[in-house]
Amino acid sequence: MSRLLICNIGNRDIKVPAGTFPADIDDNHRAKISYLREYKAKIKDSIQITMITKIIDYLEHDSLDYILLFGTQQANSAYQHTDTLADAELIGELLVERWNFRPEQILVHALSANPTHQNELIRFYEPVLAAYDQQLQPSQVILEVTGGTPAMSTALQLTGTEIFQERALPVYIAPDSALPQPISIGRRILGGPLRKVIQANLATFQYHAALDSWRLYRPYFTDLQSESRAKVIEGMLAHAAARVNLDVPQALLAIRGLVGLADGVHDAKIHRLYNALTPLSHENALAEVLALAEIRLKTNSYADFLTQLVRYIENSLRLVCLRLNIPFINRQGHADPHGAKVDAAWLRQQRIEKISVGQAGLQKLLSSYAPQDANVQLVLKLAKTCQPLIELRNEITHSLGGVSQAQIEQAYGATVSTILNNIQQSYQQLTQRSLEQNPYDVINQWVIELLD
């Protein structure tokens, strides 16, 4: 691990008592620094480097592995008298002499860009800082953004935050205080567009994309004070990314460790999300399928909308079968409420002919086994009403054709929102439960609030 301090050097970073310079060089900054370097042996004790001293004392100099000093070296001769490359070299020499840094720890780099043009400075800093990052591989980078021109300070802060990300710590040194102040303006500026990217991912329920973006750009949103909240954001995105694929074990795992973070402010919401999936009853699972159908409709994903509807219909039939103690088995022949087949031995006992796998077979079974049961009638009515949608879904599954909103509405004879509403009402009748706000809308709203 190594620690790097980066400083822009301005023409006020070196101070000496009044009367130090001969009268003939009093208005030429570059000449002043040349004079100080020439007579340094005599007057070095009177040379002050106040800003650098404050940051080094604050950080404790023995914790620093490298110090990188940027001094200007302009091509335009009209401004060369204000250049600070010689200042940086002199400061480097004093750091070695006064704080016992080794010469190889002090890096002085000429800044050739116009020190008043921010865009030009950013273009300069990007490859230079990236090269130093590769060369030194620092674990923390302190960006001292007080020295130099305002454009240099802003450009170093923005570019340094971009290059070093979570390792970057910009600090400002006030003239009247010995205590440097950490600042996060650069992160906030860079975080704005990134926040919009994540919000766009959430709006289309693309949780894997949102999670990837968050993990890549998380440093722009976090500091020591917000780290706990950042863990909540990442956990919620991971939860949603798993939940949207009905990977319930992984979804639960993602939020299990979030309780107590951020001073427990979000614990109640975390508990609600967790409890909605624990235990994962068939009633809970059906609600999850309806939530997926709703978000697929919101994103105009009509093929997946159809798939979730057919999935709901078949599993509502299964739920009624389970309530009637009809046994299912898996491929290995073991009892399994999620198995694809009805137990053949049970069918023989009931003198019921072998039935096909899927919702058509379950409709036939329920029609013959318990036709008077109220729940059987409810789910059979739903299946009959949605039969055109089932056939449309099967058609696109076994072909290379697509499906549109108009095709779905024509097949059913109502708008897609009406279709979803009818199925939601059927669910509430079947389970005697009310459907709360879609959990994905809840998650999105919560994450956006946390990002802000």
Side-chain angles (χ1 to χ4, degrees), residues 2 20 50 75 92 153 181 189 226 325 366 371 383 432:
S2 62
T20 299
T50 309
S153 296
Q181 301 172 352
I189 292 173
S226 62
N325 297 315
L366 289 172
Q432 294 300 300

Side-chain angles (χ1 to χ4, degrees), residues 202-224:
L202 295 176
T204 53
F205 308 97
Q206 300 296 320
Y207 295 108
H208 285 88
L211 184 58
D212 287 344
S213 297
W214 170 256
R215 285 173 173 165
L216 184 60
Y217 298 111
R218 173 173 169 165
Y220 295 125
F221 300 97
T222 59
D223 50 30
L224 292 177

Side-chain angles (χ1 to χ4, degrees), residues 162-321:
E162 179 184 6
I163 297 296
F164 301 111
Q165 299 194 32
E166 76 279 4
R167 294 169 293 157
L169 177 63
V171 293
Y172 172 78
I173 303 173
D176 58 351
S177 176
L179 183 64
Q181 301 172 352
I183 53 178
S184 59
I185 296 173
R187 292 185 178 189
R188 292 181 181 276
I189 292 173
L190 291 170
L194 299 172
R195 185 180 292 107
K196 292 184 183 299
V197 169
I198 294 176
Q199 289 175 346
N201 294 149
L202 295 176
T204 53
F205 308 97
Q206 300 296 320
Y207 295 108
H208 285 88
L211 184 58
D212 287 344
S213 297
W214 170 256
R215 285 173 173 165
L216 184 60
Y217 298 111
R218 173 173 169 165
Y220 295 125
F221 300 97
T222 59
D223 50 30
L224 292 177
Q225 289 73 34
S226 62
E227 178 61 26
S228 185
R229 185 173 61 180
K231 291 179 180 178
V232 175
I233 293 174
E234 183 162 339
M236 289 311 308
L237 292 176
H239 169 80
R243 187 170 181 167
V244 79
N245 288 311
L246 291 180
D247 184 354
V248 173
Q250 194 62 40
L252 293 175
L253 182 63
I255 59 175
R256 189 171 295 158
L258 302 184
V259 175
L261 293 179
D263 298 324
V265 172
H266 309 293
D267 285 2
K269 293 179 182 179
I270 295 168
H271 279 290
R272 280 197 295 273
L273 290 172
Y274 193 91
N275 292 335
L277 301 176
T278 309
L280 187 64
S281 63
H282 280 78
E283 290 83 358
N284 288 350
L286 283 174
E288 287 296 308
V289 171
L290 287 181
L292 289 175
E294 183 177 3
I295 67 173
R296 297 314 181 204
L297 184 58
K298 288 180 178 180
T299 56
N300 303 320
S301 303
Y302 298 116
D304 198 26
F305 172 66
L306 269 183
T307 296
Q308 300 305 331
L309 293 188
V310 174
R311 192 180 200 179
Y312 173 83
I313 293 165
E314 179 169 335
N315 283 282
S316 65
L317 293 166
R318 177 186 292 269
L319 173 59
V320 174
C321 286

Side-chain angles (χ1 to χ4, degrees), residues 297 305 405 408-409 412-422:
L297 184 58
F305 172 66
Q405 178 179 338
I408 294 173
E409 293 178 341
Y412 188 88
T415 64
V416 287
S417 59
T418 299
I419 297 171
L420 182 60
N421 183 63
N422 290 347

Side-chain angles (χ1 to χ4, degrees), residues 57 76 89 95 128 136 139 148 210 232 246 253 255 270 293 296 301 308 360 381 392-393 403 416 434 436 439:
D57 289 345
N76 191 329
E89 292 171 340
L95 291 175
V128 173
L136 305 177
S139 55
V232 175
L246 291 180
L253 182 63
I255 59 175
I270 295 168
R296 297 314 181 204
S301 303
Q308 300 305 331
K381 178 182 177 182
L392 180 58
R393 183 262 183 184
V403 66
V416 287
S434 61
E436 299 181 355

